[in-house]
């Protein structure tokens, strides 16, 4: 039988093969390669300096673990997304336009990441948003235009908030250089910074534009969800020292509402990309909650990891039919029991005065998330245990590494009564949410039906914002079929 | 209920049935097969059907008639003659169609956003209702669609949020029966009885892919002799929504417009000039094709060995034509045949995923339904399964990992802990998920005689009943593609939108089975003992050939297989060289497209299809037909009464016609008869592709499947059926298949007789017109 391909081997082998680089060489891709190399170099330099910040004259650029890793993330994602777009838009007259816009947004993202001053950061942050803005209208449909209007409105609100924060900072300190900022919080500036971060990261009610962002082409969605929305988290981490208790409490509450809203909406959303958008809402909310509880190193890890995860999820959205369908967890008492145990454990932890409320919340969420999945018997239970153990180990390793890398640059996590109360409230709500799938058996119950219908229809808010956006748009731009 | 006590307005049940029957089915992505978008109007002549569809969806399927008017008079007369119209007749362009007969569309003109609201409210509910495993849970299952929608409606505040206060109050008074709801809504909208039919068709037309999806359920139910009321419920939902909107205060200005529109509305008229312009394009292509067939064959074909050492049965697919041409060129001792690529076996293939994870969401079915590996016209009758693979501990761990990734709260932790892993996948461009090859399928018990009956019909249809070569190849086809929800459109249409691997392997297995051979011999088809059947798969993306299943151990046969392999290598090279420029790439890069996750166009699929040639291979061998022809073998001498030809008309020709019209409509009006831009595709419920967030799916092919930028890869032409038989034989066969006869009479396709003993003639209005060379 020599000389033959093995029976039913070759076809499968071909499918398993690696995608080969295609000849979609453009100057933009070469630039992206350069940016990636430079960012990798910056990361290496930071490593060699053991994370000691490197300041450039005038404070335009500040190179430290946070900025170097953010720059590496931006340039890596941009490289992947640009290559994807170059192939996917093959033959399309708008290919060059899309690539140039994405490249410009990347450049602004790099400016934002490497900025040594808040004004430079603001320039990059506003520029990135403006560079991507026209891409929202790629489809040219009225639906895309409405989505673009919503994004524009919320992005400009965030910009205004950031510029106000900048003005307040300059008024109080006379400088906006990060290296020269006071180590103590500035209440008003902090509140404005938190507001800008929340608006940018699609936190309630600024989440309203995000589900509509899937009106943009796949690679642009990937860029928005992995890049642009992270601006808020990055700002909060960069300016952590300026955030006073008021700002942190705001982030706890708004972030908490957003997590719950996003996670509950994922459960009822049947459209894949829209579901991914709701998942971004939840993940961004979680990142803000982490910031609000002073867990900035964890938020940083979350930002990097989520960007990579979500970029992949969007770009691979076409594979949905080959992935397993949604698994509904095992019903019945084991699950209720597991949630009760985990919830009780979490509440006890959050009561314990020895633990910061933020840590209690993270451990509680970890328990609430993983323990119900362990409530299966036999080999499946062992497998679940191993998977959960691997995950927990990965989490602790990641958190430790990020804390070491970022050093002790952050203020101590808040441990006041408000934070303790919001951590408890959030844990209780999370426990209720994890029981939520049990309601699937009672979908016809009026209360369940009312809640699921309202979640699915966004409590009427999408229709309301549509109406506002239509009023804003000149009728000629809506002429196409809606 | 109070509202049910009111005197019931009369709506003819027939009108509802007619409206439901006007919707062309739309099959889910996983088993997407081509459907004639004019399926509901096949009783009408082609141009009238186009006009009827225009009233339903606004689609324009005919070219601009001015194109024809610009031709010189002599050429116009030449074309008219073949259309069966006396030369010199003027064909007037159709007057512009009336405005859409729907209240929501009328309201849109003074209240922008109304249609979007309708699509969001109805489409959003339907996406959740039909969901097959994307959301964790949706509306309660158990009740019928209309009832569930009626129960959920009071909780949807979207209409009020958009300014239509009072909407829910009107919606709360909906009757419990959908038929009553339809009648009430028609009365509330003040629709005169004469317009009921047109209004209901438009109402369903504006629900796009969901109406098609419900029609597909109806189709499947009818195949099982059951009934399915989903489409009726959809109609009731849509009309009730319009009626509730009509009653709101904000819609007051639209009510006046609506009354004017009702009074002025007239159905669209068939566009004679448009059809003539289309015909002129077709006429030019037909002349080129007939000239290519009349030209002497290439030298290699003339040298072809009279005695075949290998007989290879390919799918009739247009992509096989290119490969067969090149393969025969490289191996003169190989004789190829064209047939429906399911090899006569209507297989229902169950992927025995052992111990599927426990599920049971509202919309999610508990088991993956079997794949119908046969044309959509047939109900599968041969159950088969893939052997269960033992599920190891690693698989359980992977499952647990997935559950953590998708869990409500665990997802938050998962991303933080494991998100960095995705760096590697992003760098490699790995989308994940590969289909398992299905060539190891086993039949769940089939009697030798039953199998022999199926294979006999198959072999007789292509005229392969004697003179068997030592090697009989059964070549299915499939396309390697990743990250492509519309991949079924690139697979084998005869295998229900799946690769042909399972059918080819099963057919080869059966043909090698001594019991089946004995039964075949009793039926008059004697396959020599030395002949062995071997299955193969033609990868249409890379143009490579892969063996399926176990290979024979005989040294002579192995040598033959090796020869075929070498020839396939040469053929692949030649075909890739021809295909690459069409895709704007180089031959060497062609195979990599199938594994590139960013690729929206791994191959052109069946784009370019223009003709179906029913006749012996001798007619086409050695002629390059550029991958634009379906080829089905047929031996007129063995079919005196036209029964075999009638079978080809009823099966393969009907499928080819559906494919042709699907490409036709998607190319003519990509916005209304296509599924849109692949970069905006948002798969809903693991079923259908939406554009962006709009919850009403389109139907048909994506823009990228037909166009590269502004360059069209498919010339929209109706199918030309070229039959190698006498006109009398063709007439006899058409008389046996009334549906096809009606389509031919209505000019849905063109029929030519390539009479072996006479001139080429064209069928025009029940008679035959000799085609001048």
């Amino acid at each position: 039988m020599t000389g033959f391909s093995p029976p039913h081997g070759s076809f499968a082998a071909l499918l398993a093969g690696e995608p080969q680089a295609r000849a979609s060489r453009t100057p933009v891709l070469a630039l992206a390669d350069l940016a990636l190399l430079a960012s990798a170099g910056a990361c290496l330099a930071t490593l060699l300096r053991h994370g000691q910040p490197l300041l450039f004259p005038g404070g335009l650029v500040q190179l430290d673990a946070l900025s170097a890793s953010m720059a590496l993330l931006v340039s890596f994602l941009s490289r992947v997304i640009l290559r994807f777009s170059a192939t996917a838009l093959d033959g399309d007259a708008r290919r060059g336009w899309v690539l140039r816009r994405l490249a410009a947004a990347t450049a602004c993202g790099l400016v934002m990441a490497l900025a040594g001053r808040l004004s430079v950061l603001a320039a990059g942050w506003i520029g990135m948003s403006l560079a991507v803005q026209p891409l929202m209208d790629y489809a040219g449909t009225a639906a895309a235009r409405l989505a673009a209007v919503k994004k524009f409105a919320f992005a400009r609100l965030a910009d205004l908030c950031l510029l106000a924060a900048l003005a307040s900072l300059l008024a109080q300190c006379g400088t906006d250089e990060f290296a020269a900022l006071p180590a103590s919080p500035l209440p008003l500036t902090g509140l404005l910074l938190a507001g800008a971060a929340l608006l940018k990261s699609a936190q309630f009610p600024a989440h309203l534009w995000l589900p509509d962002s899937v009106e943009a082409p796949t690679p642009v969605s990937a860029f928005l969800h992995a890049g642009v929305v992270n601006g808020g988290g990055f700002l909060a981490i960069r300016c952590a020292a300026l955030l006073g208790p008021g700002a942190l409490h705001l982030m706890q509450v708004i972030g908490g509402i957003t997590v719950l809203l996003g996670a509950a909406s994922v459960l009822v959303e049947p459209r894949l990309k829209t579901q991914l958008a709701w998942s971004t809402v939840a993940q961004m909310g979680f990142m803000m909650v982490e910031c609000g509880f002073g867990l900035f190193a964890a938020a940083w890890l979350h930002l990097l990891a989520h960007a990579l995860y979500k970029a992949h999820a969007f770009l691979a959205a076409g594979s949905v039919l080959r992935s397993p369908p949604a698994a509904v967890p095992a019903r019945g008492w084991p699950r209720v029991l597991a949630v009760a145990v985990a919830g009780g454990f979490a509440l006890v932890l959050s009561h314990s005065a020895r633990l910061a409320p933020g840590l209690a919340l993270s451990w509680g969420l970890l328990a609430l998330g993983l323990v119900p999945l362990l409530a299966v018997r036999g080999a499946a239970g062992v497998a679940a245990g191993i998977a959960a153990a691997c995950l927990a180990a990965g989490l602790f390793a990641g958190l430790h590494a990020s804390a070491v890398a970022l050093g002790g640059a952050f203020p101590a996590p808040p441990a006041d009564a408000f934070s303790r109360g919001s951590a408890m409230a959030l844990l209780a709500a999370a426990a209720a949410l994890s029981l939520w799938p049990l309601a699937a058996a009672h979908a016809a119950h009026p209360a369940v039906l009312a809640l699921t219908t309202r979640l699915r229809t966004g409590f009427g808010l999408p229709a309301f914002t549509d109406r506002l956006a239509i009023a804003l748009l000149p009728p000629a731009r809506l002429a196409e079929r809606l | 209920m109070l509202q049910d006590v009111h005197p019931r307005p009369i709506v003819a049940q027939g009108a509802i049935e007619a409206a439901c029957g006007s919707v062309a089915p739309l099959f889910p992505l996983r088993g997407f097969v081509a459907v004639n978008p004019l399926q509901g109007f096949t009783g009408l002549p082609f141009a009238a059907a186009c006009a009827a569809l225009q009233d339903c969806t606004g689609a324009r399927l005919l070219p601009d008639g001015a194109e024809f008017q610009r031709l010189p008079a002599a050429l116009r007369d030449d074309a008219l003659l073949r259309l069966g119209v006396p030369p010199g007749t003027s064909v007037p362009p159709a007057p512009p169609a009336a405005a859409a007969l729907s209240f929501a569309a009328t309201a849109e003109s003074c209240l922008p956003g109304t249609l979007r609201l309708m699509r969001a409210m109805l489409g959003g509910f339907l996406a959740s209702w039909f969901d097959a495993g994307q959301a964790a849970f949706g509306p309660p299952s158990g009740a019928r669609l209309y009832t569930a929608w009626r129960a959920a409606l009071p909780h949807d505040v979207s209409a009020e949020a958009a300014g239509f206060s009072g909407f829910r109050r009107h919606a709360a008074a909906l009757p419990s029966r959908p038929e009553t709801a339809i009648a009430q809504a028609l009365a509330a909208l003040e629709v005169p009885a004469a317009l009921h039919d047109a209004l209901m068709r438009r109402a369903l037309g504006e629900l796009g892919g969901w109406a098609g999806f419900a029609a597909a359920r109806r189709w499947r139910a009818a195949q099982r002799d059951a009934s399915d009321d989903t489409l009726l419920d959809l109609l009731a939902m849509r009309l009730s929504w319009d009626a509730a909107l009509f009653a709101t205060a904000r819609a007051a200005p639209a009510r006046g417009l609506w009354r004017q529109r009702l009074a002025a509305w007239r159905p669209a008229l068939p566009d004679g000039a448009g059809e003539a312009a289309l015909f002129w394009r077709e006429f030019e292509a037909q002349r080129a094709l007939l000239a290519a067939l009349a030209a002497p064959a290439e030298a290699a074909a003339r040298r072809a060995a009279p005695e075949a050492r290998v007989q290879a049965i390919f799918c009739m697919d247009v992509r096989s034509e290119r490969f067969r041409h090149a393969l025969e060129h490289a191996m003169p001792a190989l004789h190829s045949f064209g047939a429906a690529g399911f090899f006569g076996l209507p297989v229902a293939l169950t992927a025995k995923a052992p111990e599927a994870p426990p599920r049971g969401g509202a919309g999610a079915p508990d088991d993956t339904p079997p794949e119908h590996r046969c044309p959509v016209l047939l109900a599968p009758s041969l159950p088969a399964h893939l052997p269960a693979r033992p599920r190891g501990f690693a698989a359980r761990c992977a499952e647990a990992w997935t559950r953590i990734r998708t869990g409500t709260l665990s997802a938050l932790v998962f991303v933080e802990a494991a998100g960095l892993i995705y760096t590697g996948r992003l760098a490699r461009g790995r989308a994940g998920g590969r289909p398992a090859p299905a060539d190891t399928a086993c039949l769940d018990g089939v009697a030798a005689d039953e199998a022999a009956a199926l294979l006999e019909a198959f072999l007789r249809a292509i005229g392969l009943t004697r003179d068997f070569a030592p090697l009989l190849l059964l070549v299915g086809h499939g396309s390697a593609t990743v990250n492509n929800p519309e991949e079924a459109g690139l697979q084998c249409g005869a295998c229900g939108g799946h690769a042909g691997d399972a059918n080819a392997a099963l057919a080869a297995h059966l043909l090698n089975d001594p019991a089946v051979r004995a039964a075949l011999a009793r039926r008059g088809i004697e396959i020599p003992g030395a002949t062995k059947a071997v299955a193969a798969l033609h990868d249409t993306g890379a143009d490579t050939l892969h063996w399926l299943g176990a290979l024979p151990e005989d040294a002579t046969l192995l040598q033959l297989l090796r020869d075929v392999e070498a020839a396939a290598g040469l053929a692949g090279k030649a075909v890739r060289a021809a295909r690459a420029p069409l895709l704007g790439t180089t031959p060497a890069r062609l195979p990599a497209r199938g594994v590139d996750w960013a690729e929206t166009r791994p191959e052109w699929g069946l784009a370019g299809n223009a003709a179906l040639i029913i006749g012996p291979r001798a007619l086409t061998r050695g002629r390059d037909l550029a991958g634009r022809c379906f080829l089905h073998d047929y031996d007129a001498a063995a079919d005196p009464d036209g029964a075999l030809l009638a079978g080809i008309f009823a099966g393969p020709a009907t499928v080819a016609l559906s494919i042709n019209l699907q490409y036709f409509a998607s190319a003519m009006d990509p916005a209304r008869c296509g599924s849109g831009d692949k970069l905006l595709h948002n798969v809903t419920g693991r079923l259908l592709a939406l554009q962006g967030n709009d919850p009403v799916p389109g139907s048909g092919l994506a823009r990228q499947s037909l166009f590269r930028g502004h360059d069209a890869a498919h010339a929209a032409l109706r199918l030309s059926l070229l039959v190698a038989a006498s006109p009398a034989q063709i007439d006899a066969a058409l008389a046996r298949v009334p549906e096809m006869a009606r389509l031919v009479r209505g000019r849905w396709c063109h029929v030519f007789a390539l009479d072996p003993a006479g001139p080429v003639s064209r069928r025009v209005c029940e008679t035959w017109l000799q085609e001048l060379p």
Side-chain angles (χ1 to χ4, degrees):
Chain A
M1 295 262 294
T2 51
F4 283 112
S5 48
H8 68 81
S10 312
F11 194 54
L14 177 74
L15 289 171
E18 301 295 324
Q20 289 159 26
R22 295 257 309 283
S24 32
R25 287 275 131 208
T26 66
V28 169
L29 280 183
L31 274 177
D33 284 339
L34 266 181
L36 184 56
L37 270 178
S39 306
C43 277
L44 196 66
T46 318
L47 271 181
L48 290 177
R49 289 174 55 85
H50 301 288
Q52 283 303 306
L54 185 64
L55 300 174
F56 287 80
L60 287 178
V61 172
Q62 175 175 345
L63 203 57
D64 54 16
L66 181 60
S67 62
S69 58
M70 190 70 185
L72 186 62
L73 174 77
V74 168
S75 52
F76 172 69
L77 285 178
S78 165
R79 177 68 185 73
V80 171
I81 291 171
L82 281 171
R83 200 210 75 93
F84 189 99
S85 313
T87 305
L89 288 160
D90 171 52
D92 193 315
R94 290 168 297 176
R95 178 173 177 261
W97 172 69
V98 172
L99 293 182
R100 283 193 301 276
R101 282 278 166 187
L102 286 174
T106 307
C108 293
L110 289 173
V111 168
M112 182 186 90
L114 297 168
R117 287 170 174 276
L118 186 59
S119 51
V120 178
L121 189 153
W125 143 309
I126 296 172
M128 175 152 76
S129 171
L130 290 177
V132 187
Q133 178 69 36
L135 295 178
M136 289 295 295
D137 203 4
Y138 164 92
T141 57
R145 281 186 197 130
L146 292 179
V149 168
K150 293 181 193 177
K151 180 194 177 296
F152 188 83
F154 284 116
R156 295 299 78 78
L157 279 178
D159 293 352
L160 282 179
C161 231
L162 179 61
L163 292 177
L166 178 63
S168 136
L169 182 68
L170 286 171
Q172 287 181 63
C173 302
T175 177
D176 64 337
E177 239 180 288
F178 295 127
L181 290 181
S184 56
L186 301 171
L188 177 66
T189 313
L191 214 52
L192 286 168
L193 284 171
L198 292 168
L199 283 167
K200 188 71 170 185
S201 284
Q203 303 296 292
F204 175 87
H207 73 283
L208 280 167
W209 73 272
L210 206 58
D212 273 349
S213 68
V214 304
E215 299 288 353
T218 301
V220 176
S221 293
F223 194 86
L224 288 171
H225 286 256
V228 175
V229 292
N230 284 323
F234 178 72
L235 178 73
I237 299 167
R238 179 51 100 199
C239 303
L242 299 178
L243 303 174
L248 294 180
H249 293 164
L250 180 70
M251 291 166 97
Q252 290 166 8
V253 173
I254 299 289
I257 292 173
T258 311
V259 176
L260 297 172
L261 178 71
S265 299
V266 165
L267 288 171
V268 297
E269 179 57 63
R271 293 167 287 189
L272 170 70
K273 281 183 179 179
T274 320
Q275 200 182 43
L276 289 177
W278 280 117
S279 133
T280 302
V281 170
Q283 299 281 0
M284 288 290 117
F286 186 56
M287 186 177 75
M288 281 299 154
V289 167
E290 287 181 325
C291 289
F293 285 103
L295 307 173
F296 292 101
W300 178 63
L301 174 65
H302 195 92
L303 187 156
L304 297 179
H306 173 257
L308 294 163
Y309 173 76
K310 198 48 67 71
H312 180 266
F314 265 101
L315 295 182
S319 309
V320 56
L321 298 180
R322 289 188 187 170
S323 61
V328 172
R331 291 189 198 149
W333 285 110
R335 189 172 163 76
V336 178
L337 206 66
V339 171
V341 169
F345 160 71
L347 282 174
V348 168
L349 272 183
S350 64
H351 267 300
S352 144
R354 273 178 297 174
L355 206 58
L359 283 181
L361 177 66
S362 330
W363 292 12
L365 280 180
L366 183 66
L368 274 174
L370 293 185
V371 173
L373 298 177
L374 301 178
V376 269
R377 267 171 294 184
V382 178
I386 290 176
C390 286
L391 196 83
L395 184 63
F396 289 124
L399 286 176
H400 183 71
S402 61
V404 168
L406 286 185
F410 300 115
D416 54 318
F418 185 95
S419 300
R420 212 165 278 287
S422 61
M424 271 174 64
L426 196 54
L427 271 180
L433 188 66
S434 70
L435 281 171
W436 186 229
L438 289 180
H442 310 283
H445 187 279
V448 177
L449 186 63
L451 196 52
T452 50
T453 306
R454 275 164 204 266
L455 267 176
R456 180 173 58 72
T457 56
F459 299 90
L461 287 172
F464 180 68
T465 47
D466 268 0
R467 195 183 173 195
L468 290 183
I470 287 168
L472 282 175
L473 268 182
R477 304 211 61 200
L478 278 169
E480 240 169 309
R481 70 191 180 118
L482 273 156
Chain B
M1 276 192 186
L2 183 68
Q3 56 275 6
D4 281 343
V5 181
H6 286 300
R8 215 176 266 175
I10 308 296
V11 180
Q13 188 61 37
I16 296 179
E17 270 302 304
C20 292
S22 73
V23 182
L26 173 64
F27 293 96
L29 290 169
R30 208 182 270 278
F32 176 83
V33 282
V35 171
N36 171 8
L38 295 161
Q39 181 85 45
F41 304 107
T42 48
L44 300 171
F46 184 72
C50 290
L53 187 71
Q54 189 178 0
D55 280 339
C56 294
T57 65
R60 304 264 341 227
L61 293 189
L62 290 173
D64 184 5
E67 198 179 295
F68 185 68
Q69 316 283 17
R70 281 196 295 270
L71 290 175
L75 294 181
R76 280 208 308 259
D77 285 350
D78 211 20
L80 287 178
L81 184 71
R82 287 169 175 80
L83 268 170
V85 179
T89 314
S90 83
V91 275
L101 190 62
S102 103
F103 181 69
T106 311
E108 176 74 34
S109 57
C110 51
L111 303 165
T114 310
L115 274 178
R116 181 174 158 90
L117 180 69
M118 183 276 286
R119 292 160 80 90
M121 285 179 72
L122 294 179
F125 182 84
L126 292 168
S128 286
W129 171 264
F130 288 122
D131 182 15
Q134 187 66 46
F137 62 99
S141 52
R144 66 186 288 176
L145 170 60
Y146 172 77
T147 313
W149 176 71
R150 187 168 161 267
L153 195 56
H155 306 295
D156 185 352
V157 296
S158 300
E160 269 91 348
F164 295 100
S165 46
F167 184 92
R168 282 187 301 160
R169 199 176 61 244
H170 298 292
L174 284 180
S176 55
R177 292 190 52 225
E179 293 88 349
T180 322
I182 292 174
Q184 269 190 17
L186 287 172
L189 289 166
E190 304 168 15
V191 186
L195 293 185
H196 282 179
D197 186 27
L199 180 111
M200 289 193 282
R201 277 195 263 167
R202 176 83 201 184
L204 287 175
E206 283 178 2
L207 287 177
W210 289 128
F213 188 70
R217 288 186 148 199
R218 201 171 130 101
W219 169 294
R220 290 282 187 221
Q223 266 183 348
R224 296 190 309 264
D225 286 323
S227 70
D228 185 280
D229 282 336
T230 315
L231 205 48
L232 173 76
D233 287 16
L234 219 59
L235 185 61
M237 287 166 62
R238 175 63 216 279
L239 292 180
S240 303
W241 193 91
D242 275 23
L245 188 83
F246 187 84
T248 57
R250 190 171 177 233
R255 285 197 281 267
L257 271 179
W258 175 240
R259 285 176 193 124
Q260 289 169 19
R261 193 171 280 196
L262 280 179
W265 192 85
R266 298 286 175 275
L269 293 173
D271 183 4
E275 199 195 358
L278 171 65
F279 179 73
W280 177 253
R281 294 181 187 178
E282 291 162 347
F283 186 39
E284 285 191 316
Q286 286 161 354
R287 278 190 300 192
L289 175 59
L290 289 174
L293 289 178
E298 288 161 12
R302 292 199 297 274
R303 281 200 315 271
E307 190 142 328
R309 305 206 49 224
V310 182
Q311 285 164 331
I313 307 178
F314 279 80
C315 181
M316 60 190 264
D317 194 283
V318 296
R319 291 165 289 180
S320 303
E321 186 272 320
R322 269 216 168 95
F323 195 73
R324 287 170 64 187
H325 173 69
L327 190 62
E328 286 174 338
H329 186 88
M331 187 172 180
L334 182 142
H335 287 202
S336 72
F337 291 79
F342 72 117
F343 303 103
L345 305 177
V347 173
L349 185 65
T350 314
K352 283 251 170 85
E355 289 179 63
R359 294 201 287 110
D366 279 334
D367 290 299
T368 327
E371 293 174 358
H372 292 197
R373 298 238 176 176
C374 60
V376 68
L377 300 168
L378 299 177
S381 60
L382 290 181
H385 69 271
L386 290 174
R389 272 165 299 170
R391 204 166 59 127
F393 190 68
R396 284 184 192 278
C397 287
E399 231 163 63
W401 190 250
T402 307
R403 288 166 88 86
I404 294 176
R405 184 171 62 80
T406 53
T408 311
L409 292 177
S410 54
L412 302 171
V413 184
F414 174 88
V415 164
E416 193 162 310
L420 296 179
I421 294 173
Y422 288 82
T423 314
R425 294 195 190 183
L426 280 169
R428 280 176 301 157
R430 175 62 62 77
R434 264 174 240 135
D439 56 328
T440 50
C442 315
L443 286 169
D444 297 341
V446 55
D449 205 54
E450 190 190 341
L454 291 168
L455 290 169
E456 186 207 354
F458 172 71
L459 290 171
R460 285 203 189 280
I462 59 171
L464 180 59
T465 51
R466 59 199 168 85
D467 302 332
F468 285 94
L471 184 60
L472 189 59
L473 288 184
L474 300 163
V475 191
H477 64 93
S479 183
T481 169
V482 293
N483 206 22
N484 180 4
E486 292 198 328
E487 66 172 293
L490 298 177
Q491 311 297 355
C492 181
C495 300
H498 304 281
D501 45 4
N503 292 69
L506 287 174
H509 172 76
L510 289 173
L511 281 171
N512 286 334
D513 185 336
V516 176
R517 283 204 182 181
L520 268 175
R522 284 197 296 277
R523 292 166 174 273
I525 298 181
E526 194 105 30
I527 300 178
T531 295
K532 280 277 173 278
V534 172
L537 190 75
H538 168 206
D539 177 354
T540 51
D543 273 306
T544 46
L545 200 65
H546 309 276
W547 303 127
L548 303 172
L551 298 175
E553 281 162 19
D554 178 89
T556 335
L557 288 179
L558 277 182
Q559 186 52 46
L560 263 182
L561 283 172
R562 230 168 256 155
D563 291 348
V564 175
E565 260 181 9
L570 290 173
K573 207 173 266 180
V575 176
R576 283 193 297 274
R579 282 178 50 225
L582 303 175
L583 286 158
T585 183
T586 61
R589 297 208 187 95
L590 212 47
R593 291 170 85 92
V595 288
D596 187 341
W597 73 337
E599 189 53 71
T600 58
R601 196 183 294 115
E603 53 157 306
W604 276 125
L606 293 110
N609 71 78
L612 162 61
I613 302 177
I614 302 172
R617 177 61 173 159
L619 200 68
T620 47
R621 184 167 177 140
R623 291 174 178 89
D624 181 9
L625 302 177
R628 301 193 60 188
C629 296
F630 296 94
L631 301 181
H632 197 289
D633 270 76
Y634 167 67
D635 181 8
D639 185 28
D641 58 352
L644 290 178
L645 187 55
I648 296 174
F649 279 152
T654 307
V655 170
L657 197 56
S658 297
I659 294 172
N660 170 265
L661 287 165
Q662 171 110 77
Y663 273 83
F664 178 90
S666 293
M668 275 294 188
D669 195 342
R672 293 184 192 84
C673 294
S675 69
D677 189 327
K678 283 195 177 186
L679 290 182
L680 301 178
H681 273 179
N682 186 2
V683 176
T684 187
R686 304 170 66 81
L687 292 171
L688 297 172
L690 308 173
Q691 280 286 283
N693 240 351
D694 180 357
V696 177
S699 51
L701 302 162
R703 213 187 140 73
Q704 279 89 345
S705 306
L706 296 160
F707 299 88
R708 180 167 178 263
H710 292 293
D711 303 334
H714 179 73
L717 305 174
R718 286 171 293 185
L719 194 69
S720 298
L721 293 170
L722 279 62
V723 188
S726 68
Q729 249 172 323
I730 298 174
D731 284 339
L734 280 178
R736 287 164 176 262
V737 193
E739 299 83 29
M740 186 50 99
R742 202 172 57 211
L743 291 173
V744 171
R745 200 163 50 237
R747 289 203 291 267
W748 290 72
C749 56
H750 306 274
V751 177
F752 292 84
L754 309 181
D755 192 346
V760 174
S761 43
R762 171 200 294 273
R763 196 174 153 99
V764 181
C765 301
E766 314 283 319
T767 60
W768 293 87
L769 189 73
Q770 191 174 330
E771 196 71 12
L772 298 172

